Amino acid sequence: MDYRQEYQRWLERVTDAELLEELGHMDEAAMEDAFFRDLAFGTGGLRGVIGAGTNRMNVHTVGKASQGLAAYLKKRFAAPSAVIGYDSRLKSDVFARVTAGVLAANGVQVHFWPQLTPVPTVSFATRYLGASAGVMITASHNPARYNGYKVYGADGCQVTVDAAAEILSEIETLDLFDGVRQEDFDACLRDGRISLIPDEVLTAFLEAVKAQSVLFGEEARKDIAIVYSPLNGTGYVPVTRALRELGYTRLTLVEEQRLPDGRFPTCPYPNPEIREAMELGISYADQCGADLLLATDPDCDRVGVAVRGPSGGYVLLSGNETGLLLLDYLCAQRAKHGRMPADPVMIKTIVTTDMAERIAAHYGVKTINVLTGFKFIGEQIGLLEAQGRRDSYVFGFEESYGYLSGPYVRDKDGVGAACLICEMFSYYSSRGITLPDRLNELYRTYGYCLNTLHSYAFDGSAGFARMQSVMQALRAGVASFGTRKVLRVLDYAEGLDGLPKSDVLKFILADGSTLVVRPSGTEPKLKLYLSVSAESREAAEKAEADLLRSAEAMLR
């Protein structure tokens, strides 16, 4: 693509005043970055910076993706239909209406969530309403300047590698100005080609969430003081409603982050994985003496947790730590009450702590490892269901704060996870046990394991090329990371252990540590996942810092 020619074409064809203004202020570097490629469509759909250009999220790139999706659906379904939802991000509602208008214009019946809604409700509604597909307009936990377009199959799972490739092949045949058929949203709503999803679907989703409880009649003190922040996203209504219906009434909301606001004014990076996004909630918890702090990301599929530390203040639990605690709690309760299925399964990603396998094995639960991305966990649930083993699924999680305790949806669910975290906290609290206490007991039983994630930005076309160069250099051969010899390299580029192809490298080192390198599928970032086992946290942190220094030297 000649980016200058494409830029000129946009100047001539675009009618949107906001996009035209941005085009008019572009310098050469901005022009190249906006037009040097088409925004990539993969198993994660689309994700990118909002703005003008083929490498941006805007009404034209969204319309083109929707036209390709419509063509794909019409080839596979006699009467195709789709569920559409959107989060609180800038232009999410606009992009959702564009998607609906394109699909409806192409003969796809649209079920449209009438208010912003969490990711898991789109997965749920797709199955509940028997739709052919689902679309969620979201960029998850990215900064405010991002938005995205996530596609689900009829099974409620994000589209597979093969399906994404087929949709992409349809998209690539289209001109984003002349190849997109679109009709007015309101007109389609009036004539019935678009229908609004009724309240009963949200109620059904929340009932499925509440059914995941594993108390089985046991007591748990539900008068715990909880501070909750939706981080200006979609979690406010469903999370607070579910918790209150479950009996948790001592809820304090972080007021500045309670209502939807795509600017995220108090948390510029609305990701509960990072402390900065949790700071305001921690201050609220400190002021009101809360027992537990929860925060969900803007599309409410991830949950961050903070609890009182043993020496005062609040400590954040990592995604791995929360996942280990939930896995152990769910398995222990099922085992105690005779509710463990005959052939139980736990599913995790290859970058999630290996300690989970040891806990699962203790309870007789089989572990399935999948590629990074919850879509692969959802895919495995679908395979279990096809085998008549739907109830074998016990739990699935990934280190990036995503959890799912039942097969009622096929994506991570922040609503369900928030409810289970509160239940687990209440159960242990009524027995005089804190979550740090229980976590330390797990470490004593299974050995201490430190897992960390480090991200490195590679912006623009030059950054993209540099990121590819780094991966090529690593594949050329690495003998050691500092003093740690590389014993084995797992390269998933051509598929491995039955998993699909993926640009991921996993280095297994002589001291038992592992290092995984993976370019992000949704951001211009390279991610390093380090896992270090040691006798204590202090020893593990020292070893991790040493391993990180040697790994970072290879990125320069």
Side-chain angles (χ1 to χ4, degrees):
M1 177 187 295
D2 185 318
Y3 69 85
R4 292 187 182 90
Q5 287 184 3
E6 188 64 15
Y7 167 78
Q8 189 60 40
R9 193 166 81 101
W10 276 58
L11 279 177
E12 296 168 358
R13 300 294 300 273
V14 166
T15 58
D16 180 271
E18 189 174 342
L19 293 179
L20 278 172
E21 182 180 4
E22 182 181 348
L23 290 167
H25 288 89
M26 282 185 178
D27 59 19
E28 187 72 17
M31 185 194 311
E32 180 182 7
D33 190 45
F35 290 97
F36 84 97
R37 65 170 184 170
D38 288 339
L39 194 62
F41 185 96
T43 56
L46 300 174
R47 192 176 298 182
V49 174
I50 301 166
T54 57
N55 190 33
R56 297 287 185 266
M57 283 292 296
N58 53 65
V59 293
H60 299 293
T61 53
V62 167
K64 182 179 177 180
S66 301
Q67 184 69 40
L69 175 61
Y72 168 83
L73 294 175
K74 290 174 69 176
K75 288 181 177 179
R76 284 153 185 80
F77 298 92
S81 59
V83 168
I84 299 175
Y86 61 95
D87 69 4
S88 63
R89 289 185 170 273
L90 301 174
K91 297 192 178 295
S92 279
D93 56 340
V94 174
F95 295 157
R97 289 168 70 96
V98 167
T99 302
V102 171
L103 293 182
N106 284 276
V108 179
Q109 178 64 43
V110 173
H111 305 284
F112 195 87
W113 278 103
Q115 67 281 326
L116 50 79
T117 193
V119 154
T121 65
V122 172
S123 174
F124 180 86
T126 299
R127 289 166 55 82
Y128 187 87
L129 297 172
S132 313
V135 177
M136 178 71 185
I137 305 298
T138 176
S140 188
H141 56 285
N142 287 81
R145 64 195 186 107
Y146 283 84
N147 213 323
Y149 184 104
K150 186 182 289 189
V151 181
Y152 293 86
D155 58 357
C157 181
Q158 287 183 64
V159 289
T160 62
V161 173
D162 290 341
E166 290 184 50
I167 296 170
L168 176 60
S169 69
E170 297 287 354
I171 294 171
E172 289 179 334
T173 66
L174 303 170
D175 180 89
L176 84 175
F177 291 117
D178 299 321
V180 178
R181 183 179 178 186
Q182 181 179 354
E183 294 188 26
D184 179 71
F185 177 91
D186 291 325
C188 293
L189 189 61
R190 287 192 296 270
D191 66 24
R193 285 180 290 172
I194 297 174
S195 62
L196 301 182
I197 295 174
D199 290 342
E200 70 178 64
V201 180
L202 177 60
T203 297
F205 166 75
L206 294 176
E207 289 302 311
V209 164
K210 293 187 291 182
Q212 302 310 308
S213 170
V214 290
L215 285 175
F216 303 126
E218 286 197 75
E219 292 297 320
R221 55 172 291 254
K222 294 187 176 181
D223 62 343
I224 59 172
I226 303 166
V227 168
Y228 168 59
S229 172
L231 295 180
N232 299 121
T234 59
Y236 170 44
V237 171
V239 170
T240 57
R241 177 177 163 185
L243 288 176
R244 288 191 170 107
E245 289 178 4
L246 285 167
Y248 300 96
T249 56
R250 292 184 64 194
L251 289 175
T252 300
L253 278 294
V254 179
E255 186 60 32
E256 296 90 335
Q257 299 170 346
R258 177 173 64 90
L259 297 177
D261 188 340
R263 299 168 303 162
F264 309 118
T266 61
C267 51
Y269 196 177
N271 182 357
E273 297 179 57
I274 61 175
R275 188 175 185 90
E276 289 80 0
M278 303 286 284
E279 287 288 6
L280 190 56
I282 290 173
S283 68
Y284 264 72
D286 191 53
Q287 291 169 21
C288 65
D291 300 303
L292 177 66
L293 165 65
L294 301 175
T296 52
D297 66 342
D299 60 357
C300 196
D301 60 359
R302 302 171 193 243
V303 185
V305 182
V307 295
R308 289 183 183 177
S311 56
Y314 289 84
V315 296
L316 299 178
L317 299 181
S318 71
N320 277 315
E321 289 172 335
T322 301
L324 292 173
L325 285 165
L326 285 171
L327 172 64
D328 175 72
Y329 171 69
L330 290 166
C331 289
Q333 286 296 101
R334 282 177 173 272
K336 185 200 304 186
H337 292 275
R339 302 294 186 95
M340 188 72 82
D343 48 359
V345 171
M346 182 274 290
I347 309 170
K348 73 174 189 69
T349 64
I350 59 174
V351 299
T352 298
T353 178
D354 293 335
M355 183 175 162
E357 296 192 39
R358 299 196 290 274
I359 294 176
H362 172 79
Y363 292 102
V365 176
K366 177 185 175 182
T367 297
I368 297 176
N369 282 289
V370 297
L371 293 177
T372 307
F374 218 91
K375 54 185 168 285
F376 296 112
I377 294 177
E379 184 179 26
Q380 289 296 321
I381 299 173
L383 292 174
L384 288 172
E385 185 172 53
Q387 298 166 14
R389 298 176 55 207
R390 180 177 183 271
D391 292 337
S392 293
Y393 175 75
V394 173
F395 187 57
F397 80 106
E398 58 185 3
E399 47 73 40
S400 54
Y401 292 57
Y403 320 99
L404 178 64
S405 61
Y408 59 99
V409 294
R410 299 295 160 80
D411 207 343
K412 50 186 175 284
D413 177 15
V415 184
C419 293
L420 272 180
I421 290 165
C422 289
E423 175 179 305
M424 175 175 66
F425 186 98
S426 298
Y427 175 87
Y428 287 130
S429 179
S430 65
R431 289 152 180 81
I433 303 169
T434 69
L435 293 189
D437 288 340
R438 182 57 187 160
L439 188 60
N440 287 331
E441 187 174 339
L442 293 178
Y443 286 141
R444 285 192 294 272
T445 302
Y446 301 99
Y448 188 82
C449 187
L450 176 63
N451 295 268
T452 60
L453 167 62
H454 307 272
S455 297
Y456 305 87
F458 290 82
D459 293 321
S461 57
F464 181 75
R466 174 60 185 154
M467 188 161 58
Q468 291 181 314
S469 176
V470 168
M471 293 301 293
Q472 289 172 0
L474 290 172
R475 283 196 167 91
V478 178
S480 64
F481 288 89
T483 59
R484 295 171 175 81
K485 291 184 178 180
V486 175
L487 292 184
R488 189 181 175 202
V489 181
L490 304 180
D491 189 345
Y492 294 86
E494 297 302 321
L496 196 65
D497 298 331
L499 300 178
K501 297 178 181 179
S502 185
D503 191 10
V504 177
L505 288 168
K506 184 171 185 175
F507 296 89
I508 300 172
L509 310 182
D511 66 347
S513 301
T514 62
L515 184 151
V516 178
V517 188
R518 180 181 75 91
S520 171
T522 56
E523 303 172 83
K525 289 183 177 180
L526 197 66
K527 296 189 174 185
L528 297 182
Y529 302 82
L530 307 185
S531 179
V532 177
S533 296
E535 294 180 356
S536 66
R537 175 184 288 270
E538 293 74 17
E541 288 176 346
K542 182 179 179 181
E544 190 272 346
D546 182 58
L547 177 58
L548 179 62
R549 279 193 298 271
S550 60
E552 287 181 331
M554 297 186 182
L555 303 183
R556 300 191 185 105

